[in-house]
Amino acid sequence: AALRRIAEERRRGWSLGYTVSGHVTTPANGERGTVIWTPDTTVRVDDRELGLSGVFYVHTVNYRGSRGAGTSTRLGLMRPEDLVFAEEMQA
């Protein structure tokens, strides 16, 4: 219970969001094609302005606009170490 409470407090006290152009991106593994931004995935962030570098968990995605120019996606990110939602099952 303590780990879960600590993670919840950390999530409440820290947020990171980016607005990106469009609703899709290229796969990080080098495969061809496109993938749609979606929750419950991870994304690599290299933000020199904020001094952040690493892999972050995508917990929210808000799409703006529709096909064509002017579309954007707002990504809400979390630190992976804050992904404690429930206690591990213990006997």
Side-chain angles (χ1 to χ4, degrees):
L3 288 177
R4 183 177 50 106
R5 282 191 217 122
I6 291 169
E8 287 171 353
E9 288 300 317
R10 286 176 50 96
R11 288 193 299 267
R12 273 194 281 276
W14 190 90
S15 67
L16 181 63
Y18 290 97
T19 300
V20 296
S21 178
H23 299 323
V24 298
T25 188
T26 55
N29 60 7
E31 289 185 20
R32 295 173 51 139
T34 57
V35 293
I36 299 172
W37 292 110
T38 184
D40 298 327
T41 60
T42 59
V43 63
R44 173 94 186 147
V45 172
D46 289 307
D47 188 326
R48 292 182 184 164
E49 185 176 325
L50 295 177
L52 293 172
S53 182
V55 176
F56 291 83
Y57 177 79
V58 179
H59 71 92
T60 60
V61 176
N62 294 344
Y63 304 104
R64 297 182 182 142
S66 58
R67 293 183 182 172
T71 61
S72 65
T73 303
R74 179 75 180 166
L75 304 172
L77 307 179
M78 294 172 61
R79 296 175 289 208
E81 59 267 25
D82 294 341
L83 292 174
V84 178
F85 297 108
E87 290 296 314
E88 294 294 323
M89 300 299 284
Q90 296 180 9

